[in-house]
Amino acid sequence: MTTAREPIPAHPGGVSPQWLTIPLRSEGIIRVGSVASFNFEIIGSDRGFTGTVARLHLSYDQPEPGAPATLVAKFPLVRPQESGYRAAHTASTEQSRRYWERCAREIQLYRQFANGCAITPHVYGTWMDPATQRMLLLLEDLSDGEPGDALLGCSIEQARLVVDRLAPLHARWWQQTDQSSLEWLPRWGDDSQLLAVRFRQILEVVLDRYGTRIPASIARLAREVVDGYEPLLRTLASRPRTIVHGDLHLDNLFFIGESGVRLLDWQGVVAGPAVIDLGVFLVGSLSVADRRKAEMDLLAQYHRRLIANGVRDYRLDELIADYHRSLIWQLAGIVGWLARADLASLAGRERALVEAIFTPGQVLAACIDHVDRFSSRA
């Protein structure tokens, strides 16, 4: 799946037919032919704010069954134009280092688990070189599927499909993340104290900056839970760990046919509580009305799937309690996002995603709906 060669192409135009031929042959995708030529188009520029992605259209020197007509080449470190988020990642040496580490974790995830996991795309090759600060991933083209859209949301039926596919992934690595082969995975919650301090420092600044755009009930709730935020995080971090995507929103999902799901962009992968993925997906992907209608059924479905796949140490009532805790974690994340966001530097979809915090405001609505579940204690 991975071929170590130099130099790694710096951008889509730097890829050569010879470069593409080698991983396809090592994967057994082509056996006698070669990539003769290709052309490319930049894709996802309205969504991928932290890298450049291209669809490669391949031509071969001879026909061969199973040879892909297209591939996707992902260049995580090639900065898209006019991206406020990517600019923030290169604002300092420390931020650039952290972003490199995030990208490297995605490559490590694909190297260890892809092509044996039904929820990840097929991977034809991954390359990274710290010396040249270059990375490249060759992935299957999912253009025949239906991409999710975080701004449009999904149906309850699509949410059931994601939940049905997510639970076996979590169950597979349930309490298995301490093995030495997974030492590269960050541990979710290790920075609980730092996050709690940061939440306290920025809360009033954000509430003052956004004024009436933040409902009074949310401002009151945030102030009530700030003292208990660190123990809440520690409680979540104490739950059984598994491999968690860490950014499970619809922009990172493809629906394949009637029953398939692919989960992309694993830069935020961590060892942590499964409810981090589940809570982010349910609250952020369903309309407020659909979430209110289906969330308890979807939580129960997820739990049944965990049990069916071998998990024995996690009760449904524990899952529901952790789901409620995850809402406070999401609320604190929104506060952090708003504190960092420079609205003047954001446009298009980047700006729309920030505006969606307030309207339709799914996370805020979920916190209000479940406010009786929260207290200053974790």
Side-chain angles (χ1 to χ4, degrees):
M1 184 181 70
T2 304
T3 308
R5 290 177 293 150
E6 294 289 349
I8 299 172
H11 50 77
V15 179
S16 70
Q18 294 78 17
W19 181 280
L20 294 172
T21 297
I22 292 177
L24 292 177
R25 283 190 173 172
S26 67
E27 281 280 291
I29 305 299
I30 58 178
R31 300 184 182 279
V32 294
S34 300
V35 178
S37 63
F38 73 95
N39 57 65
F40 70 88
E41 57 179 321
I42 302 299
I43 60 174
S45 56
D46 62 332
R47 299 192 184 193
F49 305 132
T50 56
T52 293
V53 182
R55 176 173 293 116
L56 311 181
H57 299 264
L58 310 183
S59 297
Y60 299 90
D61 59 2
Q62 56 183 295
E64 193 160 347
T70 57
L71 296 174
V72 167
K74 179 176 181 178
F75 297 81
L77 300 174
V78 177
R79 177 174 172 175
Q81 294 182 349
E82 300 178 354
S83 170
Y85 290 109
R86 187 66 179 96
H89 290 145
T90 56
S92 69
T93 300
E94 176 63 16
Q95 287 170 316
S96 295
R97 181 189 65 80
R98 291 180 181 178
Y99 183 61
W100 168 273
E101 291 174 351
R102 285 175 56 86
C103 296
R105 286 195 287 271
E106 179 178 36
I107 285 182
Q108 187 65 35
L109 182 283
Y110 280 132
R111 287 179 176 180
Q112 281 193 240
F113 308 124
N115 303 342
C117 178
I119 206 169
T120 57
H122 188 89
V123 183
Y124 295 98
T126 61
W127 299 265
M128 63 178 173
D129 181 7
T132 60
Q133 289 288 292
R134 293 183 182 181
M135 289 184 178
L136 171 60
L137 300 89
L138 287 181
L139 308 171
E140 74 171 304
D141 182 12
L142 300 173
S143 58
D144 289 341
E146 176 188 353
D149 190 319
L151 293 176
L152 296 179
C154 70
S155 67
I156 293 174
E157 290 72 24
Q158 287 175 314
R160 291 191 189 283
L161 177 59
V162 173
V163 166
D164 192 65
R165 299 297 182 268
L166 183 63
L169 172 70
H170 287 160
R172 166 64 182 85
W173 300 104
W174 199 263
Q175 303 211 87
Q176 301 295 315
T177 58
D178 288 334
Q179 53 189 280
S180 59
S181 62
L182 297 178
E183 289 178 348
W184 55 273
L185 271 177
R187 269 36 182 177
W188 189 95
D190 281 358
D191 56 352
S192 295
Q193 183 178 21
L194 178 63
L195 291 176
V197 169
R198 177 64 173 161
F199 184 31
R200 180 181 295 279
Q201 289 174 339
I202 64 177
L203 177 58
E204 294 301 330
V205 174
V206 169
L207 293 178
D208 181 66
R209 179 185 301 170
Y210 289 91
T212 58
R213 299 201 70 186
I214 298 177
S217 58
I218 288 294
R220 184 166 54 252
L221 173 63
R223 291 180 174 119
E224 288 174 354
V225 301
V226 68
D227 287 339
Y229 187 52
E230 183 178 354
L232 180 146
L233 292 177
R234 293 194 183 282
T235 297
L236 283 176
S238 72
R239 294 303 189 229
R241 288 176 174 159
T242 184
I243 290 179
V244 173
H245 179 273
D247 194 22
L248 212 169
H249 57 75
L250 281 169
D251 283 1
N252 289 334
L253 281 167
F254 266 78
F255 296 93
I256 310 297
E258 296 183 355
S259 60
V261 174
R262 297 292 184 274
L263 184 51
L264 311 176
D265 292 340
W266 287 83
Q267 293 174 2
V269 63
V270 294
V275 75
I276 296 305
D277 278 348
L278 185 64
V280 167
F281 172 73
L282 292 183
V283 175
S285 302
L286 293 169
S287 69
V288 173
D290 281 349
R291 191 262 307 158
R292 288 169 176 163
K293 178 180 179 181
E295 66 183 335
M296 289 300 112
D297 286 343
L298 288 166
L299 289 169
Q301 175 191 339
Y302 174 83
H303 187 260
R304 288 193 300 272
R305 289 288 284 155
L306 282 183
I307 299 303
N309 282 273
V311 172
R312 296 289 181 266
D313 58 349
Y314 197 44
R315 302 188 311 271
L316 177 58
D317 64 312
E318 292 178 314
L319 170 63
I320 293 172
D322 287 341
Y323 171 71
H324 293 143
R325 292 183 179 100
S326 82
L327 298 180
I328 297 299
W329 169 71
Q330 291 184 64
L331 176 60
I334 283 176
V335 171
W337 194 7
L338 293 176
R340 294 188 302 271
D342 177 9
L343 295 185
S345 71
L346 302 180
R349 190 176 181 85
E350 288 180 305
R351 180 64 177 262
L353 288 169
V354 174
E355 293 296 333
I357 290 173
F358 307 105
T359 305
Q362 291 109 311
V363 174
L364 305 186
C367 287
I368 292 172
D369 288 346
H370 296 290
V371 67
D372 60 320
R373 306 281 184 176
F374 309 131
S375 72
S376 62
R377 295 171 295 175

